[in-house]
Amino acid sequence: MLPPASDQAIPQPLTDQAPAAPAGDRAAPGGPPRARGREPGGFLDPVQLLKAFPEALRKLHPRVMVKNPVLFVVEAGSALTTLSAVLNPSVFTWVISCWLWLTVVFANLAEAVAEGRGKAQAATLRRARTDTVARRLRHWQVGTDLETAKTERVATSELALFDCVVVAAGEPIPADGEVVDGVAAVDESAITGESAPVVRESGGDRSGVTGGTTVLSDRIVVRVTAKPGHSFMDRMIALVEGATRQKTPNEIALHILLCALTIVFVLFVVTLQPMAVYAGAAQSTTVLVALLVALIPTTIGALLSAIGIAGMDRLVRRNVLAMSGRAVEAAGDVNTLLLDKTGTITLGNRRAAGFVPLPGIPEIQLADAAQLASLADETPEGRSIVVLAKERFGLRAPAEGELGYSQFVPFSARTRMSGVDIVWSDRTGCLIRKGAASAVLGWVRERGGGAPAEAGWFADSIAASGGTPLLVAVHDQDGPRVLGVVHLKDVVKNGIRERFEELRRMGIRTVMVTGDNPRTARAIAEEAGLDDYLAEATPEDKMALIRREQAGDKLVAMTGDGTNDAPALAQADVGVAMNSGTSAAKEAGNMVDLDSDPAKLIEIVRIGKQLLITRGALTTFSITNDVAKYFAIIPAMFASAYPGLDALNVMGLASPESAITSAVIFNALIIVALIPLALRGVRYSPSSAHALLRRNLGIYGIGGLVLPFVGIKLIDLLVIRFIPGLG
Ligand SMILES: Nc1ncnc2c1ncn2[C@@H]1O[C@H](COP(=O)(O)OP(=O)(O)OP(=O)(O)O)[C@@H](O)[C@H]1O
Ligand SMILES: [K+]
Ligand SMILES: [Mg+2]
């Protein structure tokens, strides 16, 4: 027997006065997502270049230069030519020395400009960091009364992991953490730049809060999950400043290739001299160094790190924190995207919308059982059931005297059930469970009960509409039986369908993985326009699916927000956690999206692809554009010894000196000319990766081959005009 509804109030959670802020997180509607700050255009701001100049000079220190062997060789060569210019002064040796030094400075400038942009962003972020006083709770435990709890005021910097702090309307949240009590509207504009408030609440997958954001309404208790100095904001600042940037495996591979090429050319130039002497055409140090610099891949050596920094920077501008460059690169090659349903594809604001009793059961009886099973269920779903039962029937929790003993069964993603075991004061007892249909039916059958067909029908019809059915069952003196179904409603995020279509055009398969039942999953997958879905997935199932895809040589991205997504987020090559999500999810992933927008993956993939393509294109360009320099320098070197070699002087350069000078000047200027491209990235449009690669290798390979012939010739014309003594 169920007790009559009691009128005595229990301390109501804040849910009753849920803030009137828009529910859920902002899903980017069809249009392009808003970027933080202005995206730098194609032209490089001269002011930026000027500002980065001192830093570029500072980087000339050999200790810094040695990290970039290609340019270290150029620097050593510059020093050598300068020495020979001092010992053996001539216009030619001085001009070459100057331009060699400029080559190194320009290379450093590329990196300095990239870093400078990050520093500007970091400064903006620093301003958002708070250093205030926090109200720390003393001897308080989750679930106990807040009114009587004692608080103490401490400086934010003194907060430790797992401290609980109270934050009320108008106050800043002192540290990264998780809401463990209450629900509030939070202004996250300090970190996202977006002014619409978001809801953060305890118990569910929207519990994550970020230090520096402000509570707008109500009051929450936040458990600190990051020590001061190690918050996401701190990590983001370190990232955009380039302080913690590590080379990715791809970058290391390319780096090794560049070093190998450099060594080969150093050996070539060193062994060239004895042969030249033998041929009666001994070369000066200056000429040999100029040849070496022209041959080694200086262009990509100069731009490589700027390309990487700019990629990170582009992500941060779109409010994505990447914890590793490796993940950014992997994003460029992703084949499959897995998304969880609740809170990622839907708003995650899953609320009870109605009670559907089985024939012969009064609705109030179902509502009462459902709310008893939810009294200690701190998930948003559980709280919404309590609220609905109160609204519809004025039902409230049992009074002190009525309850003998009760034991709550918390919800877990594995059991897909929650409930309560109650012994009333008159010593009668009952067990109540609510949860996924298959789980609750299993529970009833295990206890020897059966389920009328209606239970399945009702659940199916709710599921077919995209809702989540929760079956409610009791086991009391009348035996185990199903009472009916609670209809949980959730809404698919606005405009998400178009975004998934865009992913498809990029060649990415989208799969929804959800703990929910297959019918609901199918309805939502169809509505959102996903390629496939996996229903009734436990956390392990989600991870196993990723492993299977990876075994088939696929790169997998996963976005999710729940603790049940954490294993999958950790397993995925690209794990994007929603910033609104639990701290377990955020720790497991290798990226965090501050806007909590699953469609952000489009941006992430685009940036990853752009990074890979830009690096590939500029490497190709760098290697092919050295070819023209052989044609400029080799004939010049041996013109006197082998006049026949003049046939190679296809550019018709004026004199050996002007030819070598022009090649060196071109080599230096091309670095500056390509800085904007390195920072902005090669244009990317969704099409197959192969087509893109072919197109870019074509453009940059042929461009790299042809451009220097024109460029060197033009410079040669200027050189003989304006630098007397080289003509
Ligand atoms: N508080 C709750 N009490 C009882 N059952 C619940 C509760 N919350 C959810 N369920 C049931 O458990 C199922 C699994 O929940 P889980 O959180 O693992 O997945 P989900 O949130 O539905 O999906 P996703 O992983 O896509 O976010 C739900 O579909 C629902 O049927
Ligand atoms: K070069
Ligand atoms: Mg979930």
Side-chain angles (χ1 to χ4, degrees):
M1 263 293 287
L2 290 167
S6 145
D7 267 332
Q8 202 162 347
I10 52 159
Q12 280 294 316
L14 289 164
T15 327
D16 271 5
Q17 310 95 39
D25 278 281
R26 306 163 295 274
R34 168 197 47 76
R36 169 198 301 280
R38 198 169 55 91
E39 181 75 7
F43 295 100
L44 198 56
D45 188 354
V47 180
Q48 260 183 353
L49 274 183
L50 224 58
K51 270 202 196 141
F53 211 80
E55 184 57 32
L57 292 181
R58 254 195 298 277
K59 283 177 187 282
L60 283 176
H61 196 295
R63 206 180 43 219
V64 182
M65 290 302 301
V66 80
K67 287 186 198 142
N68 189 339
V70 180
L71 288 156
F72 184 68
V73 167
V74 181
E75 184 173 49
S78 313
L80 210 60
T81 39
T82 310
L83 189 70
S84 76
V86 171
L87 298 178
N88 243 326
S90 76
V91 174
F92 176 64
T93 47
W94 275 114
V95 168
I96 294 288
S97 317
C98 286
W99 278 98
L100 288 182
W101 280 114
L102 279 176
T103 309
V104 189
V105 173
F106 291 163
N108 288 346
L109 201 59
E111 193 179 77
V113 171
E115 285 171 355
R117 286 193 188 174
K119 287 203 178 97
Q121 286 224 39
T124 321
L125 291 172
R126 278 221 175 79
R127 248 171 274 141
R129 273 203 309 198
T130 45
D131 202 16
T132 50
V133 177
R135 275 191 290 152
R136 179 161 65 188
L137 282 160
R138 295 176 56 191
H139 317 297
W140 178 82
Q141 253 154 27
V142 176
T144 60
D145 191 10
L146 247 188
E147 301 307 325
T148 56
K150 285 202 174 66
T151 59
E152 59 189 353
R153 295 190 166 266
V154 293
T156 308
S157 53
E158 275 170 48
L159 287 175
L161 272 186
F162 308 123
D163 275 354
C164 287
V165 293
V166 186
V167 193
E171 293 174 350
I173 295 173
D176 286 3
E178 229 169 354
V179 181
V180 290
D181 194 280
V183 46
V186 176
D187 173 8
E188 293 197 335
S189 58
I191 56 159
T192 62
E194 172 68 57
S195 58
V198 293
V199 176
R200 294 289 174 260
E201 62 188 332
S202 65
D205 294 344
R206 296 194 300 171
S207 58
V209 288
T210 312
T213 60
T214 311
V215 171
L216 290 178
S217 73
D218 301 285
R219 176 208 56 193
I220 47 176
V221 177
V222 174
R223 179 162 48 208
V224 176
T225 55
K227 272 196 292 207
H230 296 271
S231 66
F232 278 101
M233 192 81 88
D234 293 308
R235 282 199 240 174
M236 183 154 157
I237 290 170
L239 269 174
V240 293
E241 282 187 326
T244 57
R245 218 181 76 85
Q246 279 172 337
K247 282 206 177 79
T248 66
N250 279 338
E251 271 179 304
I252 292 172
L254 187 52
H255 194 73
I256 292 172
L257 174 77
L258 297 183
C259 288
L261 278 176
T262 306
I263 292 170
V264 167
F265 285 123
V266 168
L267 290 177
F268 169 72
V269 170
V270 168
T271 49
L272 188 70
Q273 180 70 331
M275 290 195 279
V277 172
Y278 179 76
Q283 299 296 321
S284 68
T285 319
T286 312
V287 170
L288 288 174
V289 171
L291 175 66
L292 176 62
V293 170
L295 293 182
I296 62 178
T298 44
T299 318
I300 186 65
L303 299 174
L304 188 57
S305 84
I307 295 171
I309 296 172
M312 279 285 187
D313 190 52
R314 243 171 280 146
L315 271 185
V316 173
R317 270 170 213 283
R318 288 183 174 77
N319 287 337
V320 177
L321 302 188
M323 296 306 152
S324 82
R326 191 197 163 96
V328 185
E329 283 179 358
D333 283 331
V334 159
N335 310 97
T336 314
L337 166 63
L338 267 50
L339 309 102
D340 80 322
K341 173 178 74 79
T342 313
T344 303
I345 295 171
T346 65
L347 289 178
N349 191 21
R350 207 157 49 175
R351 292 286 132 106
F355 299 106
V356 188
L358 289 189
I361 310 255
E363 193 180 337
I364 189 167
Q365 188 186 348
L366 169 64
D368 196 31
Q371 68 102 36
L372 281 173
S374 306
L375 284 179
D377 183 358
E378 274 304 308
T379 64
E381 289 87 350
R383 283 197 306 251
S384 75
I385 291 175
V386 175
V387 171
L388 188 70
K390 189 177 158 212
E391 270 172 19
R392 292 274 165 92
F393 301 103
L395 296 178
R396 289 194 184 280
E400 277 288 315
E402 287 175 303
L403 210 55
Y405 167 84
S406 69
Q407 165 114 43
F408 289 100
V409 181
F411 169 72
S412 90
R414 202 162 290 109
T415 61
R416 288 198 264 266
M417 272 196 311
S418 59
V420 65
D421 300 344
I422 300 179
V423 180
W424 300 110
S425 46
D426 63 5
R427 293 180 169 256
T428 59
C430 74
L431 313 176
I432 313 175
R433 292 292 180 276
K434 67 171 200 292
S438 55
V440 173
L441 287 178
W443 182 80
V444 172
R445 286 204 193 97
E446 210 173 83
R447 313 189 142 256
E454 284 92 344
W457 299 341
F458 292 169
D460 285 353
S461 80
I462 291 172
S465 73
T468 298
L470 285 191
L471 245 58
V472 181
V474 293
H475 188 178
D476 55 14
Q477 63 266 45
D478 297 336
R481 62 198 190 282
V482 178
L483 295 180
V485 191
V486 179
H487 183 173
L488 296 179
K489 261 197 183 149
D490 199 356
V491 179
V492 169
K493 287 182 182 173
N494 199 5
I496 207 155
R497 203 186 167 91
E498 294 74 34
R499 308 289 280 163
F500 286 144
E501 238 140 62
E502 213 172 326
L503 279 168
R504 196 163 306 122
R505 257 179 281 138
M506 291 170 140
I508 296 171
R509 201 166 75 92
T510 49
V511 183
M512 179 174 89
V513 283
T514 175
D516 221 329
N517 71 82
R519 270 167 206 271
T520 308
R522 185 181 328 129
I524 298 282
E526 269 170 15
E527 190 181 343
L530 290 145
D531 292 324
D532 203 354
Y533 65 86
L534 175 73
E536 290 181 341
T538 61
E540 291 78 11
D541 293 339
K542 294 187 182 188
M543 191 172 75
L545 177 63
I546 296 184
R547 285 232 172 98
R548 269 202 306 282
E549 293 274 328
Q550 285 170 333
D553 259 355
K554 297 256 161 53
L555 276 180
V556 183
M558 159 92 194
T559 65
D561 61 354
T563 305
N564 61 348
D565 301 320
L569 284 169
Q571 177 67 33
D573 301 286
V574 184
V576 188
M578 308 283 104
N579 192 44
S580 57
T582 60
S583 62
K586 288 196 263 184
E587 289 301 328
N590 48 21
M591 290 191 196
V592 174
D593 176 24
L594 295 175
D595 295 326
S596 305
D597 170 12
K600 192 64 76 67
L601 206 94
I602 296 171
E603 253 56 56
I604 298 174
V605 169
R606 195 189 294 272
I607 289 168
K609 283 197 194 295
Q610 217 182 14
L611 178 77
L612 294 176
I613 296 171
T614 306
R615 196 149 64 201
L618 289 182
T619 303
T620 316
F621 184 91
S622 180
I623 289 170
T624 54
N625 101 75
D626 288 341
V627 171
K629 294 169 205 158
Y630 312 148
F631 285 90
I633 297 183
I634 301 279
M637 285 170 78
F638 297 101
S640 53
Y642 302 101
L645 270 180
D646 204 45
L648 281 180
N649 182 9
V650 287
M651 286 172 269
L653 303 175
S655 73
E657 278 84 10
S658 83
I660 294 171
T661 309
S662 306
V664 168
I665 293 178
F666 179 85
N667 194 54
L669 288 181
I670 198 70
I671 295 174
V672 188
L674 289 175
I675 292 178
L677 186 64
L679 295 185
R680 191 198 51 205
V682 169
R683 251 216 12 243
Y684 166 76
S685 57
S687 70
S688 92
H690 277 285
L692 271 178
L693 196 67
R694 222 172 320 124
R695 205 188 76 200
N696 280 293
L697 289 189
I699 295 176
Y700 289 90
I702 294 169
L705 216 51
V706 175
L707 190 67
F709 282 97
V710 182
I712 292 175
K713 177 70 191 172
L714 284 178
I715 295 172
D716 181 69
L717 292 176
L718 292 174
V719 161
I720 49 172
R721 246 199 100 165
F722 294 107
I723 310 180
L726 289 185

